[in-house]
């Protein structure tokens, strides 16, 4: 009962502290949630843990929706690098890689510099209002070894006053775990909690530990003097038990920290600090938002829709005798080619009648399919005879007809300059299924056979080796692709390593199951010349809602064999279902041969579009090491092609047999090149960051899986960016 009483008193004290902060600024306090008197941006700064905070302690404020924050900090032998993503307006997640220089005499797990990977998650319970602060609850290091494990609930209020420059953020909170280790006031929710265990494999959420054990208050003030400078002061509730108490990493003399920060540019912020009465620290913060490109994308303007003559005044313009000319479809196809090519589009097929036309085309330039549809419609209006009233525009992706967009030509002519032109056009536009083949069409005979190649540099990084956190191989990469006919593709990817140290790692896999990924370093130690992939593939549409693929050859660097896939995805459906089966053998560490290990692997998959750019995927089946389980993925996609996703895989491999990390998990990033260079294009750069990759839950990497090819041109994707149809 005594602990609970202490907790209640402190909670009242926290609320009183916020009121006191208001009183310190005077009686005529104005909430920054409603006003911006001094035009100082509401910048959310990052703490030493790389999440919204003061210096070492968190605040309740959240980053702008979709924002990324990268924090790199150091003090007293503690280095941290954290990536934070504001996944929704209220929910953010962080991934951190830390190093603690404990010295030779105090090694942790045999390392003088102990390196740790950890995840955080925060949720905004209440937004700031005129009279009430923002309130956030957070879990820190909730699925790691637990060295930084802690939970907190924190409140922040922003104040400003005409007689005080800038804005003042006042924060008070209560922390558990690591954040409740100094100045504890009791255990309001009872229970004890285990301490950091270096022998733990980590990776599993410690549900039974959350908000248990002693709790301690923390708080602080952040004064944004102007749009460049800010000063901070905080009271910390972290005892730094591992670093300052059990090991002499640094000497902790005080619970108070102080700092000053400078906004160097819109995206970059730097700070210097005096921490715990003994240490000087630095913090580098970089924030960017996928919604705001590094270079604004420049789209070439278009001419207005070509208007047809008035039918009543010039009825002869609408004559249909042209259709009796057998060469008319080919002539119209040839006239459309250059008009489309000016806009980065390529015609594949054209079918015409006296009153309608269906054109199938490739979009090789624009992330927004609606923009490509709009430009295709303009080209058709410019070239096709006046008697053709109905345009059926079909998006094609690698021989797969995605969807058919039906637009009346008269609607294009009438609505272009309407105040609500995009919405008005969508109301009278149909988006439906496209047949596998287009009967009685004229095709673009210039498309096949097609050979393409590229030669350029490559970097292949390897992360999180305790002996050397970042290793890199670098060299040149040759990519070859030959398409003899629609749907067929022969591809190859060759790399020649010029320099690097990935293969220098001395870490052995030590796997208790079949080593399908942990022997990756052996592939890096092989020949400098490697054939990453070499395969033949065929993909086609068996039915209006069905898509199929079969691929054979070297499917990835470690495995080769045969892969087949069938996908069901109706144009207007949020749901898609697929099945993939593979039979593969493990490739030799160098050269073109195979090893003895072979495996049949495959998955049944369900895909769902939640709306607003959020996509879910569940894959259930057998993995490369012969284990059975499921992978869950949640991805957020932005209109410009940015994609950020997280995944985890749980199989019948136990945590002890899996090894470090307990189960497979990671983060996927896909970034459009146009975001950097400002030129429209569909090229992207993708990478996956895993805390550590073991052999459990390892899935085959097959080139050209169907779902993303298909979904990108279906109804929800097109309608989601329909506002760009007139660009």
């Amino acid at each position: 009962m005594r602990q609970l009483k202490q907790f209640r008193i402190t909670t009242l004290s926290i609320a009183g502290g916020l009121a006191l902060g208001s009183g310190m600024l005077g009686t005529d306090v104005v909430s920054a949630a409603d006003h911006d008197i001094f035009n100082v941006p509401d910048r959310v700064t990052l703490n030493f843990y790389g999440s919204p905070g003061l210096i070492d302690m968190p605040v309740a404020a959240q980053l702008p929706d979709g924002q990324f924050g990268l924090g790199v900090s150091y003090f007293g032998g503690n280095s941290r690098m954290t990536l934070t993503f504001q996944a929704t307006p209220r929910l953010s997640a962080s991934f951190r890689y830390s190093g603690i220089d404990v010295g030779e005499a105090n090694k942790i797990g045999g390392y003088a510099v102990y390196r740790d990977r950890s995840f955080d998650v925060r949720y905004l319970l209440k937004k700031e209002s005129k009279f009430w602060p923002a309130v956030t609850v957070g879990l820190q290091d909730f699925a790691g070894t637990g060295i930084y494990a802690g939970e907190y609930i924190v409140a922040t209020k922003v104040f400003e006053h005409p007689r005080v420059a800038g804005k003042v953020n006042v924060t008070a909170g209560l922390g558990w775990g690591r954040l409740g280790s100094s100045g504890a006031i009791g255990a309001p929710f009872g229970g004890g909690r285990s301490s950091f265990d270096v022998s733990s494999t980590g990776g599993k959420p410690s549900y039974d530990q959350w908000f248990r054990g002693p709790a301690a208050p923390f708080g602080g003030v952040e004064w944004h003097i102007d749009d460049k400078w800010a000063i901070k002061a905080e009271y910390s509730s972290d005892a730094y038990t591992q670093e300052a108490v059990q090991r002499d990493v640094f000497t902790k003399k005080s619970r108070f920290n102080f700092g000053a920060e400078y906004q160097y540019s819109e995206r970059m912020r730097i700070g210097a600090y005096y921490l715990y009465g003994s240490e000087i620290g630095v913090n580098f913060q970089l924030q960017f938002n996928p919604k705001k490109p590094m270079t604004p994308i420049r789209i070439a303007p278009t001419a207005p829709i070509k208007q047809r003559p008035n039918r009543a005044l010039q009825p002869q313009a609408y004559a249909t005798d042209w259709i009796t000319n057998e060469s008319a479809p080919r002539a119209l196809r040839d006239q459309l080619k250059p008009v489309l090519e000016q806009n980065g589009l390529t015609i594949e097929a054209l079918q015409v009648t006296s009153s309608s036309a269906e054109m199938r085309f490739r979009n090789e330039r624009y992330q927004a399919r609606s923009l490509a549809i709009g430009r295709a419609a303009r080209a058709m209006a410019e070239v096709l005879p006046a008697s053709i009233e109905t345009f059926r525009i079909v998006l094609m992706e690698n021989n797969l007809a995605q969807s058919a967009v039906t637009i009346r030509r008269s609607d294009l002519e009438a609505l272009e300059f309407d105040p609500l032109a995009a919405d008005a056009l969508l109301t009278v536009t149909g988006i439906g299924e496209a047949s596998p083949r287009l009967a009685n069409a004229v095709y673009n005979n210039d498309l096949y056979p097609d050979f393409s190649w590229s030669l350029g540099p490559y970097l292949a990084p390897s992360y999180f080796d305790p002996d050397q956190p970042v290793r890199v191989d670098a060299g040149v990469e040759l990519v070859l692709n030959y398409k003899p006919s629609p749907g067929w593709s022969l591809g190859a990817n060759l790399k020649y390593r010029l320099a690097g140290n990935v293969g220098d790692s001395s870490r052995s896999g030590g796997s208790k199951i079949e080593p399908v990924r942990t022997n990756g370093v052996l592939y890096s130690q092989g020949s400098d010349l490697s054939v990453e992939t070499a395969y033949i593939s065929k993909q086609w549409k068996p039915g209006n809602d069905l898509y199929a693929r079969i691929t054979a050859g070297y499917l990835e660097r470690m495995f080769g064999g045969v892969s087949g896939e069938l996908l069901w995805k109706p144009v207007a459906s949020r749901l898609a279902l697929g099945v993939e089966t593979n039979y593969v053998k493990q490739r030799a560490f160098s050269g073109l041969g195979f090893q003895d290990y072979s495996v049949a692997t495959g998955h049944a998959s369900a895909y769902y579009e939640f709306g607003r750019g959020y996509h879910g995927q569940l894959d259930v089946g057998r993995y490369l090491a012969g284990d059975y389980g499921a992978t869950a993925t949640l991805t957020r996609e932005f209109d410009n092609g940015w994609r950020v996703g997280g995944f985890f895989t749980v199989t019948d491999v136990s945590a002890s047999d899996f090894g470090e990390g307990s189960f497979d998990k990671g983060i996927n990033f896909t970034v459009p090149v146009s975001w950097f260079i400002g030129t429209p294009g569909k090229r992207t750069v993708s990478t996956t960051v895993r805390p550590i990759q073991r052999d459990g839950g390892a899935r085959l990497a097959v080139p050209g899986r169907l779902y993303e090819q298909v979904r990108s041109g279906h109804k929800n994707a097109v309608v989601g960016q329909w506002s760009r149809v007139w660009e």
Side-chain angles (χ1 to χ4, degrees), residues 348 362 396-401 436-437 447-450 481-491 535-541 548-551 704 706 709:
E348 285 204 4
R362 300 177 186 174
M396 300 291 293
E397 188 75 24
N398 296 325
N399 194 47
L400 302 177
R437 299 289 292 173
L447 297 181
Y448 302 99
D450 178 62
N481 191 264
Y482 177 68
K483 297 180 179 179
S485 60
W488 287 95
S489 179
L490 286 80
Y535 61 88
I536 181 170
S537 175
K538 166 69 174 177
Q539 58 182 37
W540 70 100
K541 249 185 121 169
R549 170 191 60 81
I550 186 166
T551 309
L706 293 172
Q709 297 184 67

Side-chain angles (χ1 to χ4, degrees), residues 81-400:
M81 178 180 293
T82 307
L83 180 66
T84 294
F85 175 53
Q86 193 68 40
T88 76
R90 291 180 180 266
L91 179 69
S92 65
S94 302
F95 171 68
R96 180 180 306 105
Y97 190 57
S98 309
I100 305 174
D101 189 357
V102 296
E104 290 292 332
N106 298 297
K107 289 182 178 180
I108 300 178
Y111 293 98
V113 178
Y114 175 74
R115 305 193 184 278
D116 185 81
R117 299 167 296 273
S118 56
F119 291 92
D120 301 353
V121 65
R122 295 163 43 98
Y123 185 78
L124 179 66
L125 294 174
K126 183 185 181 304
K127 295 183 179 180
E128 182 179 357
S129 62
K130 185 174 183 178
F131 298 107
W132 294 98
V135 179
T136 290
V137 63
L139 303 176
Q140 182 174 289
D141 192 8
F142 70 92
T145 59
I147 194 168
Y148 292 120
E151 304 81 48
Y152 57 87
I153 182 168
V154 60
T156 298
K157 189 79 175 73
V158 182
F159 301 99
E160 55 188 2
H161 190 278
R163 294 193 295 273
V164 178
K167 299 177 180 178
V168 177
N169 302 354
V170 180
T171 293
L174 197 64
W176 286 260
R178 178 155 188 144
L179 298 180
S181 58
S182 178
I185 58 169
F189 301 122
R193 59 190 298 152
S194 58
S195 58
F196 164 64
D197 180 7
V198 68
S199 64
S200 168
T201 58
K204 295 187 295 184
S206 302
Y207 307 106
D208 58 335
Q209 302 288 306
W210 294 348
F211 298 97
R212 304 297 294 274
F218 61 86
V221 177
E222 180 178 3
W223 179 18
H224 287 270
I225 301 171
D226 55 27
D227 63 348
K228 293 291 186 181
W229 288 97
I231 58 176
K232 296 180 174 182
E234 73 174 14
Y235 172 85
S236 171
S237 59
D238 190 341
Y240 276 83
T241 303
Q242 291 292 328
E243 300 88 343
V245 179
Q246 298 183 6
R247 297 172 177 85
D248 190 22
V249 177
F250 74 96
T251 301
K252 183 175 181 289
K253 299 180 180 179
S254 170
R255 295 175 181 170
F256 291 94
N257 300 322
F258 307 91
E261 295 181 351
Y262 178 70
Q263 192 73 32
Y264 180 80
S265 66
E266 180 183 357
R267 293 182 171 90
M268 187 185 303
R269 189 177 185 87
I270 53 178
Y273 314 84
Y274 182 62
L275 294 99
Y276 300 105
S278 61
E279 299 295 333
I280 299 296
V282 293
N283 188 8
F284 170 83
Q285 307 170 31
L286 182 68
Q287 294 190 36
F288 58 94
N289 199 306
K291 302 174 186 177
K292 300 177 180 179
M294 296 285 287
T295 303
I297 297 176
R298 300 176 297 276
I299 304 291
T302 59
I305 296 289
K306 183 179 179 181
Q307 300 287 320
R308 290 175 292 178
N310 185 296
R311 184 186 289 268
L313 298 177
Q314 300 183 46
Q316 69 279 5
Y318 291 81
T320 60
D321 54 348
W322 61 269
I323 195 66
T324 61
N325 187 340
E326 292 183 359
S327 63
R330 291 188 295 274
L332 293 173
R333 174 202 62 192
D334 294 340
Q335 293 176 52
L336 278 168
K337 278 184 186 179
V339 181
L340 290 167
E341 288 170 358
Q342 290 175 7
N343 291 283
L345 310 176
T346 302
I347 188 171
E348 285 204 4
L350 178 68
Q351 178 200 71
V352 293
T353 69
S354 61
S355 60
S356 66
E358 177 170 323
M359 183 180 71
R360 301 193 167 196
F361 74 102
R362 300 177 186 174
N363 165 31
E364 298 168 329
R365 180 174 296 178
Y366 307 110
Q367 286 286 349
R369 273 59 176 182
S370 60
L371 196 155
I373 290 168
R375 298 208 165 195
R378 288 177 188 272
M380 295 175 77
E382 179 178 338
V383 171
L384 298 182
S387 66
I388 295 181
E389 165 64 10
T390 303
F391 294 165
R392 189 172 164 90
I393 303 168
V394 177
L395 292 156
M396 300 291 293
E397 188 75 24
N398 296 325
N399 194 47
L400 302 177

Side-chain angles (χ1 to χ4, degrees), residues 632-716:
T633 305
L634 181 64
T635 302
R636 181 175 181 183
E637 181 178 40
F638 296 86
D639 287 345
N640 57 13
W642 261 86
R643 290 173 60 86
V644 185
F647 67 89
F648 68 89
T649 301
V650 179
T651 73
D652 56 1
V653 173
S654 67
S656 59
D657 285 346
F658 183 92
E660 185 179 356
S662 298
F663 60 94
D664 191 43
K665 51 193 167 295
I667 308 168
N668 295 320
F669 297 94
T670 298
V671 183
V673 175
S674 59
W675 193 83
F676 295 98
I677 64 177
T679 301
K682 293 175 65 178
R683 289 189 301 135
T684 60
V685 178
S686 299
T687 190
T688 297
V689 177
R690 281 181 167 91
I692 189 168
Q693 185 168 21
R694 305 288 295 176
D695 297 309
R699 191 176 180 187
L700 183 70
V702 179
R705 284 193 168 112
L706 293 172
Y707 178 69
E708 286 305 324
Q709 297 184 67
V710 172
R711 181 198 65 81
S712 62
H714 273 196
K715 184 175 181 177
N716 290 330

Side-chain angles (χ1 to χ4, degrees), residues 48 56 73-78 80 240 250 275-276 279-281:
F48 271 60
D56 227 15
S73 63
Y74 177 84
F75 85 94
N78 293 270
R80 300 170 191 151
Y240 276 83
F250 74 96
L275 294 99
Y276 300 105
E279 299 295 333
I280 299 296

